[in-house]
């Protein structure tokens, strides 16, 4: 039985190597996003009450040409923190994120936000549902199999010695 398990353990590890490597690297990168400005831009905190209108927010976003925002259809997400007056707006078709002062409506920061792209890559969603559910999900099950079979293969010699004694 252990010989068969070793055989499958080897083959499963070969089959899932690339999807697992992508998941591992993007997971490590995403785990560092709190202090890694390559993944997610850092901005100076704004300490004021929120008082700008949505029209002012859109105008501020339009002032950043790299974001390619002309209307609300070009915006994928707005993160508004009223208690601190912090507004972050994300462009739909680019990876740009813009920070806007909640009192003045001025752009206080801008930068590329790669976290969404890395998350889609990490989950396999970037490649579409066929690859996500047909390759990445089975690879995750394969990693679980490798964990369990690896533990069994590791413990097996100790159990055999114990049985002999």
């Amino acid at each position: 039985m252990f010989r068969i398990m070793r055989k499958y353990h080897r083959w499963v590890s070969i089959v899932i190597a690339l999807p697992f490597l992508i998941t591992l690297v993007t997971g490590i990168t995403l785990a560092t996003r709190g202090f890694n400005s390559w993944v997610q831009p850092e901005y100076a905190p704004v300490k004021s009450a929120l008082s700008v209108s949505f029209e002012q927010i859109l105008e501020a976003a339009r002032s950043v040409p790299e974001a390619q925002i002309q209307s609300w259809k070009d915006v994928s997400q707005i993160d508004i923190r009223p208690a601190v007056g912090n507004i972050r707006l994300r462009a739909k078709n680019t990876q740009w994120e813009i920070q806007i002062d909640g009192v003045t409506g001025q752009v206080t920061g801008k930068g590329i936000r790669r976290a969404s792209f890395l998350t889609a890559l990490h989950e396999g969603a970037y490649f579409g549902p066929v690859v996500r559910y047909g390759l990445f999900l089975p690879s995750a099950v394969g990693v679980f199999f490798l964990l369990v079979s690896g533990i069994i293969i590791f413990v097996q010699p100790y159990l055999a010695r114990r049985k002999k004694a």
Side-chain angles (χ1 to χ4, degrees):
M1 176 176 145
F2 292 110
R3 181 175 279 171
I4 293 170
M5 188 172 292
R6 285 178 197 271
K7 178 181 170 183
Y8 284 117
H9 186 89
R10 268 190 301 239
W11 281 106
V12 167
S13 65
I14 290 168
V15 170
I16 69 166
L18 183 60
F20 183 63
L21 181 64
I22 291 170
T23 302
L24 184 67
V25 170
T26 55
I28 291 168
T29 307
L30 284 168
T32 66
R33 73 176 161 226
F35 57 86
N36 183 346
S37 62
W38 183 82
V39 177
Q40 179 172 299
E42 291 180 30
Y43 301 116
V46 179
K47 298 283 185 192
S48 55
L50 188 66
S51 64
V52 295
S53 69
F54 279 100
E55 204 47 50
Q56 288 173 293
I57 294 170
L58 183 59
E59 279 305 312
R62 284 184 183 141
S63 73
V64 179
E66 302 91 345
Q68 300 174 7
I69 294 173
Q70 298 303 316
S71 71
W72 288 114
K73 291 180 180 178
D74 301 321
V75 176
S76 70
Q77 186 176 357
I78 299 177
D79 179 18
I80 300 175
R81 309 280 169 109
V84 294
N86 190 347
I87 301 168
R88 289 187 183 187
L89 183 135
R90 294 185 195 153
K92 185 183 282 185
N93 298 320
T94 65
Q95 294 181 18
W96 281 82
E97 179 176 273
I98 304 161
Q99 183 175 8
I100 301 167
D101 185 299
V103 173
T104 66
Q106 298 297 312
V107 173
T108 57
K110 59 185 180 178
I112 295 175
R113 181 183 173 92
R114 294 177 178 91
S116 298
F117 167 73
L118 289 169
T119 300
L121 195 59
H122 180 75
E123 297 172 346
Y126 175 79
F127 304 107
V130 172
V131 173
R132 182 180 188 177
Y133 299 116
L135 183 61
F136 276 69
L137 181 60
S139 293
V141 173
V143 170
F144 182 72
F145 168 78
L146 289 177
L147 174 69
V148 172
S149 63
I151 290 169
I152 291 170
I153 291 169
F154 178 80
V155 171
Q156 188 266 330
Y158 297 106
L159 294 177
R161 278 190 227 137
R162 196 176 212 192
K163 195 175 186 180
K164 276 186 179 178

